[in-house]
Every structure is written in C-alpha cells, then in structure tokens.
Amino acid sequence: MSTLSVNSLQTADGISPVLVSDIAKKSDLSASGGSALVGYLPAGTGAVATNVEKELQQLLKLVNFLPDGYVTDGSVDYTTEINAAIAAAVAGNKALYINPGEWRHTAALTVTARVVIFGAGKGVSKFLSVNCDAFDIATGVSFVAIQGITIAQATRYTSTPNTYTAIRNNGTTANQNSYHTYRDIFIDGFEFGFDCNAVSSSSFINCQAAYTHKGITFSLQCLNNAVSQCTLA
C-alpha cells in the first residue's frame, strides 16, 4: 500500500493553498513564545492589530517574577523578586501590578526611575516590611505613582520603636523628586509614613497611617504639594 505525503491543504474554494508548515502545532502554542502566534485586535476604531504576547506584556505582574509554588501569606522573603519586578517595570516603562497577597521583604524596595506600581486595594495587596524601609526612591526621580496597597512593618512602632520609613523620597534642593502620586495607601507601624525630602508638585490622596510616629514629613525645598482626604497623624 502506498502512502500519501501531504505538503499542503486547500481552502474550500480550492484556490488558496495553506501550507501544513504554516499551521501552528500544539507544541508551538504551548511553548513560552506560543502567545506570539495568536493574533489580537484591541477594541475601538483605528486600533492596530497585534498579538497576545505583546498585549500581555504591556502590564507586568509581581507573580510573574516569583518561583513556582510561591506563597501569599507573608511567610517567605521575596526581596530579590520584588526588586526584580520593579526594575523590569522601570526598564520597560511599564506598570507593575501587585497581586493580592502579603509579600514579605527584608531590604528596601528601590525605585530608580519613573514607574507606576499599583495593587488590588488597601488590605488586599500588602507589603510586609521586616526591619527595613519599604520604598526607597532615588534622588531626582520624577513621575512615580504608587496606589492601592498596604505597607506594614512587621513590628509596629507603637509596640517597639523603629527607625523605618514606608516611602522615603531622597530628593535634594538641586535635584528634586517631582510629580509623584500616592493614592489609596494604608501605612502601618513605621516611624515615618512618608519621608519627603525635596518633593514638589506631588499629590497624596486618601492615604492613612496608623501605629506610626509621624505620618508625613516634608523637609528641604518642598513646593506645590497637595494632601487630600488623608489621615497622616
């Protein structure tokens, strides 16, 4: 019995050839780059067609940087992974989504350039800071937005005084940190909630600090900042 070798298929009209080699195999689609083989057309007149891989990569998620079997209860130190996620968002000029859960870290989370970091809401997406500052924002960094998260110190200041800050801005009079937005943030247990050095033209909206020594401080040359609907005793 002879065998038939099929190198191409034809569409129903019998005209347009379809090469078998052009048909994505299951193994190709399930590979790490398989989403690049699937087209995607965003809604809206004039939207440009792309593929699923490019669309998904517009938004980074913290869990994409965590190892298999990661936990969400704050029992494992993910300092390296969180900082890697922030660095990737900075490098790619993309937003970083903090998934629901409690994310433990034991060294400051560093922000070196403009970035957007947002969570699922206060009490839902939570950073657990263990004997360290939470966010350390470098000198001269502008256009930072952090919102929708809780930042908690492992041991509250009111129980055992500490010297840690939830969000520290390291601006100088010569190189200010400007155009920041902090919205819907709950800060728990730090000596300082916001330590703002040379911060200008920035907004603090619906932020609360509890069990802290001072909710917010401004020093050096801080100009044109707005604090609204906040409880930062």
Side-chain angles (χ1 to χ4, degrees):
M1 179 181 295
S2 61
T3 59
L4 176 64
S5 177
V6 179
N7 295 315
S8 66
L9 300 175
Q10 286 188 320
T11 58
D13 59 15
I15 299 175
S16 304
V18 179
L19 297 178
V20 172
S21 59
D22 289 339
I23 301 175
K25 296 181 294 185
K26 182 178 179 181
S27 59
D28 294 332
L29 293 174
S30 62
S32 59
S35 59
L37 302 175
V38 181
Y40 175 75
L41 179 62
T45 303
V48 178
T50 181
N51 61 58
V52 171
E53 180 178 78
K54 289 182 179 179
E55 183 66 20
L56 292 176
Q57 288 180 348
Q58 294 303 309
L59 173 66
L60 300 181
K61 298 180 181 180
L62 174 59
V63 296
N64 296 146
F65 294 82
L66 302 181
D68 290 340
Y70 66 82
V71 299
T72 63
D73 62 1
S75 62
V76 176
D77 180 8
Y78 289 127
T79 305
T80 300
E81 291 83 355
I82 298 170
N83 269 321
I86 295 172
V90 167
N93 195 26
K94 296 176 181 178
L96 174 63
Y97 175 63
I98 307 303
N99 303 81
E102 188 170 308
W103 309 109
R104 183 187 188 97
H105 67 103
T106 54
L109 307 175
T110 56
V111 175
T112 59
R114 62 185 299 168
V115 72
V116 174
I117 299 171
F118 69 103
K122 292 181 286 188
V124 181
S125 299
K126 178 179 179 180
F127 287 106
L128 180 64
S129 309
V130 182
N131 300 325
C132 62
D133 291 345
F135 288 94
D136 188 81
I137 302 175
T139 303
V141 175
S142 295
F143 300 102
V144 170
I146 300 176
Q147 65 184 56
I149 60 173
T150 288
I151 308 171
Q153 183 57 233
T155 302
R156 285 172 167 163
Y157 179 88
T158 51
S159 297
T160 303
N162 61 66
T163 59
Y164 305 118
T165 298
I167 300 177
R168 186 188 304 278
N169 267 284
N170 296 292
T172 66
T173 52
N175 203 3
Q176 292 196 333
N177 290 14
S178 304
Y179 307 109
H180 290 200
T181 300
Y182 302 101
R183 183 192 299 269
D184 300 329
I185 299 173
F186 184 79
I187 296 170
D188 184 346
F190 291 82
E191 180 181 22
F192 298 105
F194 295 93
D195 184 15
C196 303
N197 297 289
V199 172
S200 64
S201 302
S202 297
S203 300
F204 303 79
I205 306 165
N206 193 28
C207 297
Q208 291 82 36
Y211 306 102
T212 59
H213 176 54
K214 291 184 178 180
I216 190 167
T217 61
F218 291 98
S219 59
L220 302 180
Q221 190 175 14
C222 294
L223 302 171
N224 302 320
N225 297 300
V227 179
S228 175
Q229 298 176 314
C230 294
T231 306
L232 298 169

